[in-house]
Amino acid sequence: MSINLSHFSAAVVFALFASIVFGITQRNSTMEQVKYGAYCFALFVGGVFLAGWVMALIRR
Amino acid sequence: MAKPNTDKSKNAAPAEPEYPLTTMAVVAPFVGWLIPGGGHLLLRRYGRGVLLLVSVVAMFLIGLGMQGRIYKPNGGDILDILGFVGDVGSGLLYFIARAMDWGNVMAANAAADYGKTFLIVAGLLNFIAVADAHHIALGKKP
């Protein structure tokens, strides 16, 4: 079995699973867990876009 | 003249609640390490347990699918040892992968590098889940 993911899709998959674990383990109530998981996911993916733009600007 | 207040109990910080170590507080983290999410399932947190199981197992399998490398304990290099510590966090998944000789590749491409990271992070996330199971069993967390 071989999986070929692009850098972006690998980062999104990584963000998804890491956010689920962070949400469950770092908050107590269900709603807080969902909110914190979504917050972590947004930060992960936002960080990917930010880093991408920074690297693109440096490359110019 | 007012008498000075000498009652120390009024100024003392509120006492921390005590959480006695129970058998379940030892067993649940151990089961959670061997089977990701198992500690939560044992503590009847079924939803959380299943989500943790799916997340850690999926990350581990995706890492293997991307030709990620599984570290051995006797790597020699300090970074190899740290990689082993991360990998072994996945519990039984790590031992199954070693027994089946999966992840014994030295592929030098970007996907393999991502895969190696997925494998390590799966183990590290499981360590966080193990600590969470311990806190639930102690009663520190609902």
Side-chain angles (χ1 to χ4, degrees):
Chain A
M1 180 185 74
S2 182
I3 298 173
N4 286 313
L5 293 177
S6 68
H7 194 160
F8 179 73
S9 50
V12 171
V13 170
F14 180 99
L16 175 69
F17 293 128
S19 301
I20 290 172
V21 177
F22 283 173
I24 290 172
T25 57
Q26 303 302 312
R27 291 295 182 269
N28 292 336
S29 72
T30 305
M31 189 47 72
E32 283 178 341
Q33 289 172 356
V34 172
K35 283 181 183 172
Y36 189 68
Y39 173 71
C40 288
F41 183 75
L43 281 187
F44 271 126
V45 177
V48 168
F49 277 103
L50 184 68
W53 275 108
V54 169
M55 285 187 279
L57 291 172
I58 289 172
R59 190 165 174 260
R60 284 192 179 193
Chain B
M1 188 174 151
K3 191 176 177 183
N5 185 5
T6 56
D7 189 359
K8 288 182 181 174
S9 64
K10 285 184 181 173
N11 298 328
E16 288 278 324
E18 289 184 14
Y19 301 103
L21 190 64
T22 58
T23 308
M24 191 54 90
V26 177
V27 172
F30 182 71
V31 172
W33 169 63
L34 279 179
I35 304 163
H40 287 74
L41 293 173
L42 199 64
L43 295 165
R44 299 174 192 276
R45 267 65 172 187
Y46 299 114
R48 297 185 209 177
V50 168
L51 278 171
L52 289 171
L53 176 70
V54 169
S55 298
V56 174
V57 171
M59 282 196 81
F60 194 87
L61 293 180
I62 290 170
L64 282 179
M66 293 171 85
Q67 311 297 317
R69 176 186 168 201
I70 295 264
Y71 285 94
K72 297 183 175 76
N74 53 353
D77 186 13
I78 184 71
L79 291 177
D80 285 1
I81 295 169
L82 289 174
F84 164 73
V85 170
D87 281 353
V88 83
S90 300
L92 275 181
L93 291 170
Y94 174 80
F95 297 112
I96 291 170
R98 284 292 308 278
M100 303 296 285
D101 206 26
W102 294 335
N104 192 12
V105 290
M106 292 296 284
N109 56 44
D113 209 30
Y114 305 154
K116 181 182 72 180
T117 307
F118 268 68
L119 289 168
I120 293 173
V121 173
L124 296 178
L125 290 174
N126 196 37
F127 277 136
I128 300 175
V130 164
D132 193 53
H134 178 66
H135 286 153
I136 293 172
L138 282 179
K140 283 185 180 178
K141 187 181 174 183

